[in-house]
């Protein structure tokens, strides 16, 4: 009986610890503007700059319009700890994502963060996939918000006639992005063709053709 009680206590403690942990570690000071030049970067962020000013807490890099003339018809401007060191230790970051008509946010995942987003302009088909391959998707218009649970594959597609724009936020200062087509077909060194032909049930010519579009 005592054993049962102590294992339920341990289980409750573990569940509490797991559910109370945010994606990044909690800060132990008001702020710690990252000194990106100090090397090496620490395990969970950067050392703090010794002297800071108001400019360390603002970032103009999300301003549009972004140039979307690229094969995806979409461009991301990121405000994460690498572009905006004021975010260091604070556990948040944001993107401005702009799409030409027909532009796509390729299927990708963020290994270190849940994503929330709001459509600012246009009409965007947004979707994510669960670990058992269920697709949750919807066309959203300006003012509508969506969420992508941490680590799940998701995409966006501009289904409107004009340009579209999203603002996305993450519960990590550096959410990371695994962009599936680039990861699988544009890695360096490349994944051997034998792996990809077997995985996708396609031939070498097709693999080489796809790889040629995702050269690093
Ligand atoms: C959109 O999915 C983004 O990662 O900004
Ligand atoms: Mn994303």
């Amino acid at each position: 009986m005592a054993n049962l009680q102590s294992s339920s206590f341990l289980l409750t403690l573990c569940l509490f610890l797991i559910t109370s942990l945010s994606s990044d570690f909690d800060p132990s000071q008001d702020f710690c503007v990252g000194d990106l030049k100090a090397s090496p970067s620490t395990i969970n962020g950067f050392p703090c700059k010794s002297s800071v000013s108001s400019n360390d807490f603002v970032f103009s890099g999300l301003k549009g319009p972004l140039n979307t003339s690229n094969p995806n018809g979409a461009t991301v401007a990121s405000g994460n700890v690498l572009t905006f060191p004021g975010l260091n230790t604070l556990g948040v970051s944001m993107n401005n994502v702009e799409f030409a008509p027909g532009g796509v946010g390729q299927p990708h995942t963020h290994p270190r963060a849940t994503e929330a987003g709001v459509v600012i302009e246009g009409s965007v088909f947004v979707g994510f996939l669960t670990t058992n391959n269920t697709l949750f998707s919807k066309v959203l218009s300006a003012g509508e918000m969506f969420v992508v649970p941490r680590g799940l594959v998701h995409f966006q597609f501009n289904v409107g006639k004009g340009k579209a724009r999203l603002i996305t936020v993450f519960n990590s200062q550096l959410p990371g992005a695994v962009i599936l087509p680039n990861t699988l077909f544009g890695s360096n060194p490349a994944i051997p063709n034998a792996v990809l032909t077997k995985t996708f049930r396609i031939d070498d010519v097709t693999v080489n053709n796809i790889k040629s579009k995702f050269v690093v």
Side-chain angles (χ1 to χ4, degrees):
M1 188 66 179
N3 263 351
L4 194 63
Q5 271 173 350
S6 59
S7 23
S8 344
F9 171 74
L10 275 179
L11 186 65
T12 315
L13 184 67
C14 287
L15 284 175
F16 171 75
L17 286 175
I18 289 166
T19 50
S20 65
L21 282 178
S22 57
S23 195
D24 285 1
F25 284 94
D26 282 337
S28 51
Q29 61 285 304
D30 283 359
F31 56 78
C32 167
V33 176
D35 182 352
L36 302 198
K37 294 200 188 80
S39 59
S41 99
T42 55
I43 292 175
N44 276 301
F46 293 89
C48 313
K49 260 174 80 171
S50 49
S51 140
V52 297
S53 72
S54 301
N55 283 340
D56 285 302
F57 301 102
V58 294
F59 177 62
S60 309
L62 294 192
K63 276 187 196 163
L66 305 176
N67 180 358
T68 54
S69 312
N70 57 54
N72 300 323
T75 298
V76 179
S78 292
N80 59 41
V81 71
L82 298 180
T83 54
F84 181 14
L87 296 178
N88 193 41
T89 74
L90 301 183
V92 290
S93 56
M94 293 178 80
N95 284 348
N96 172 26
V97 193
E98 299 189 14
F99 303 87
V104 69
Q106 299 158 294
H108 65 281
T109 79
H110 303 289
R112 295 183 287 273
T114 288
E115 170 178 330
V118 60
V119 178
I120 302 295
E121 181 182 352
S123 196
V124 186
F125 177 56
V126 303
F128 74 83
L129 295 124
T130 66
T131 51
N132 65 5
N133 300 328
T134 304
L135 170 66
F136 291 95
S137 63
K138 190 151 188 207
V139 174
L140 300 183
S141 54
E144 295 188 294
M145 182 178 172
F146 62 93
V147 67
V148 179
R150 175 174 167 168
L152 297 188
V153 173
H154 60 286
F155 60 84
Q156 298 95 21
F157 188 62
N158 178 3
V159 290
K161 289 198 168 39
K163 56 184 274 200
R165 181 167 171 236
L166 305 174
I167 292 290
T168 51
V169 299
F170 305 89
N171 62 340
S172 169
Q173 64 183 20
L174 194 59
V178 177
I179 300 168
L180 298 182
N182 299 14
T183 299
L184 293 171
F185 293 96
S187 66
N188 185 12
I191 298 179
N193 277 21
V195 175
L196 296 170
T197 53
K198 187 80 175 165
T199 300
F200 290 101
R201 286 87 148 146
I202 52 179
D203 59 16
D204 264 321
V205 176
T206 311
V207 167
N208 288 336
N209 183 18
I210 302 176
K211 276 185 171 174
S212 71
K213 299 178 203 302
F214 294 97
V215 278
V216 188

